[in-house]
Amino acid sequence: MSSVNKNLSIVEGSAVPIGGNHRIGIVWSEWNHEITGALLDGAKRLLLKNGILEKNIIIHSVPGSFELTLGAQYLAEYIEPDAVICLGCVIQGETRHFEFICNAVANGITKLNMDFSLPFIFGVLTPDTQQQAIDRAGGKHGNKGEEAAITALKMLALRDRIEDEIDFDDDFFDLDDD
Ligand code: DLZ
């Protein structure tokens, strides 16, 4: 379904989970910083609003979106996060090697999800124009940084639910053995 004319920050379906004691890394790109700074503000605001403690939000920047993957990997290796949110903006009309950067970061982040078995959230805008980027960084189409933070919280809640179910099953079988 097209997201044109739709503010995806109005989250449909399940409620945004409370963050609890989770530690979240955010890595954001300095390239197009007027956009990515707004994404960062949105992500941080959303996490704080939903119970993540400020001390548990660890933020670092990288030069451009291409570097998001390695920056996220560093966070995963050194700060032991529960999730990492990656924020960037690559504007098609202004970037000759748009597709190289977008594909590299999408593939890189996908691989990190699998390698670390952790949520690494793809919060990279890939608009055609600067105006489309502004519209998605706190403008008429909402703030994609907030959406990235919601996605992180939802993935952590999913993991917690599955862990709880497994614990419950284990308890059940322990009782059965008695
Ligand atoms: C070089 C470059 C260009 C042209 N455009 C963007 C962009 O629109 N968004 C972005 O995040 N980064 C851009 N970069 C920088 C690359 O991501 C990367 O930092 C450099 O190629 C160095 O590896």
Side-chain angles (χ1 to χ4, degrees), residues 116 133 144 178:
F116 285 86
K144 301 294 166 185
D178 290 342

Side-chain angles (χ1 to χ4, degrees), residues 29-32 36 63-68 88-92 94-98 101:
S29 159
E30 291 161 12
W31 198 281
N32 291 320
T36 54
S65 292
F66 187 81
E67 284 73 37
L68 285 171
C89 174
V90 194
I91 301 175
Q92 180 152 29
E94 296 173 11
T95 310
R96 283 173 67 82
H97 47 319
F98 174 85
I101 296 177

